[in-house]
Amino acid sequence: MDYKFYHDLAKTLPAVPLAAHLVLHEQADPEEIIYDGERLGKVLVETAKRFNTKFAFPLMDLTLEKELMLHVMGLVQSSEEAETFHFDELPPAEVLAKVTDSLDVSVIRRMKASCDAISYVAQEGGDILPMGMGIGPFSLLTKLMDDPITAVYMVGSGMTADDDESVEIAEELLKCAERVIYSYWVAQCEAGAKALFNCEPAANLVYFSPNQIASGSDVFDRFVIEPNARLRDLLVSKDVDFLLHDCGEMRAEMIRSLSNLRPKVFSFGSPVALWEAAPHVDKDIVLFGNLPSKKFYSDELSVEGIYKLIEEITEKMSATGHPYIVGTECDVLSMPGYEQVIMEKVIAMNQCPIA
């Protein structure tokens, strides 16, 4: 789809929740459904229809690529092991060489189900947009190391792999991360995805020094922009739209760099107000987000508070003339004991009039 498709949606959509996790957990057996592509696909279609979003946003599970990488390397046997695993040294070259850009993602049952769910949406979803989901290369890297912050800072300071082992670990694992993600994106494209929501939340001020960037360091380009640009080009070659999500805190120069990746939709969390991002993003790119979904369970954010946030976003974004969609900053997660209050807030935000 061209940019106009998303501009037209921006004019008509209500506030959009990423709510598949909520709808999934209304079912009697959510832990079984996540391994069943057809049933998972039905949840995605139901979510899109219930909230009139037109987007079949998949579950925002950003753990799958790490599990696939470690499985292929022969380092873990389960998702539980993968969750806590970190590299304190590089594995042998022959182990790294097992990670290619043509991996069989079906060895991870959740990945296979996710691809099958996309196929279901593509075949049975009507005008609902079948979408893929994935973690960005740098954000995956941060899940592979105990202390990625120090390694990234060293690179930003001009240090190389010859200077410190952690720099070498970070650089080599970033290559592996890109190859694993490439394989998963290819599989999702082949399953029928027409857009892919790329989540790069770690591209933020926690991991990157604004002083280093301002002084001319290319660390943000090397670790974030360049690998993401190559993956975006993969989507372009397959006529699949690139949508970008970064819910972290960023400075203007980081927003501009990410905008240069030319996503059709650029999604922000609450740390970056849409109207503050707007001057740094080309106007053909639709901005999305800002509603703090992580607070929906809490009394800290009432329905009235959500209405006020939507009113503020609408008023300030309308003044910019930039196309936008009010949406949740991340997946709205179902939490035991809070299901009803969370769903009430999601329904309220979705039904709130937007001028």
Side-chain angles (χ1 to χ4, degrees), residues 110-128:
R110 284 289 317 281
M111 280 186 159
K112 181 179 187 305
S114 296
C115 291
D116 290 344
I118 292 170
S119 295
Y120 178 88
V121 175
Q123 296 164 15
E124 306 294 337
D127 65 349
I128 294 170

Side-chain angles (χ1 to χ4, degrees), residues 54-71:
K54 304 300 182 184
F55 294 117
F57 284 110
L59 298 171
M60 192 181 283
D61 185 343
L62 306 184
T63 67
L64 303 179
E65 292 88 340
K66 179 181 179 182
E67 182 180 354
L68 176 60
M69 179 192 295
L70 298 178
H71 174 85

